[in-house]
Amino acid sequence: MTVIHEFSQSIPEWNRGGLHADCENCFGLCCVSLPFTASIYFAVDKDAGQPCSNLQSNFRCGIHHSLRERGFKGCTVYDCFGAGQQVSQVTYGGQDWRQMPNTAEQMFEAFRVMRQLYELLWYLNEALARETTQSIYDELRFMLEETERFTRLNPDSLLELNVSAHRMEINKLLLKASELVREEAIRANKQSNTRGRKKTYERGADLIGAKLRGADLIGANLRGSYLIAADLRDADLRAADLIGADFRDADLSGANLSKSLFLTQFQLNAAKGNADTKIPPTLTRPAHWLA
C-alpha cells in the first residue's frame, strides 16, 4: 500500500475576497460582453455585445436556477474572478451600460481586459501564499501591486494596456513558483512511491479521456493539459500545476486537489466531482457536484 506523506505546503490565509464574482454588484457584463455559440454548452448563438435573452432589467438571469436544464451549462462554468463588479462599481462608478449606452461598447471591452487582470491577480496571490516561494516574494509582490494598480485605471487607460506583455512577465514568475512548489512536494513525497518511478507528463499533454483513477500526480506539471473527460477519481493532485488545464467533464470524484497549484473556480465548475473531492478553502464546491 502506498503511504502518502504530508509535505510542507501549508497555505496561509490571505484575502481573496475581491477575487470572487459578485453578481449582485455587476451589470451582467459576462451576459452581454461575451459571445457564445450553440453547442452542448449553450442553447443558442449570441454575438459579443448582444445581451443574452435571459438577462432581466435588473441585470439578473431569469433562468439562473435552471441554466443546465435549459441548455446553458456554459454559464454555470464561467467565472470572472471578480472583474465584473470592479468594472461596474469602480471603473464606471456604478453607471451601467443601459444608463450610458454611448459607453456600452467600451465597458464591454474594459470587462474583457479586467477579467485577464483579475485572473493574473488570482495566480499571483496563490504564488505568494506558498511557503516555498519565499525566494521570489519581492518579485511576486511587485507584480501583484502593479497589476492591482492597472485595475484602478480609467477606461481609456485600461484599454491602452498591453495585457499580453504584462501576462508574459508574470508567467515567468509563475513558472519559477511552480518549480519551487513542485520540486519541494516531490522531494517530500518521494518515499511514498513504493511502485517505483512515477510517470511524468509534459506541459500541454493530451490526456483526453485518460484513465488516471487513483493516480499519484503530486507535483505533476499539468499546465495546459487536455484532461477533457479524464477519469481522475481518487487521484492525488496536491502541488500539481494546473494553470490552463482543461477539466471539462473530467471526473474528480474523491480526488485530492486541496493543495493543487493555480486551480480556479472555472476549472472546478467545468468538471464533475462529489462531496469527497478535496478542494482548497479559497474555492467553492460546485452545486452540480451534489445534485
Side-chain angles (χ1 to χ4, degrees), residues 80-94:
C80 75
F81 297 95
Q85 66 259 29
Q86 178 70 10
V87 171
S88 299
Q89 303 302 328
V90 178
T91 311
Y92 285 89

Side-chain angles (χ1 to χ4, degrees), residues 230-243:
D231 183 357
L232 287 160
R233 287 175 293 172
D234 303 317
D236 195 336
L237 289 144
R238 288 176 295 162
D241 185 340
L242 302 179
I243 271 191

Side-chain angles (χ1 to χ4, degrees), residues 199 201 204-212 222 225-230:
K199 184 174 182 179
Y201 298 99
D206 183 353
L207 297 170
I208 296 175
K211 307 301 182 184
L212 296 168
L222 295 173
S225 295
Y226 297 94
L227 289 155
I228 301 168

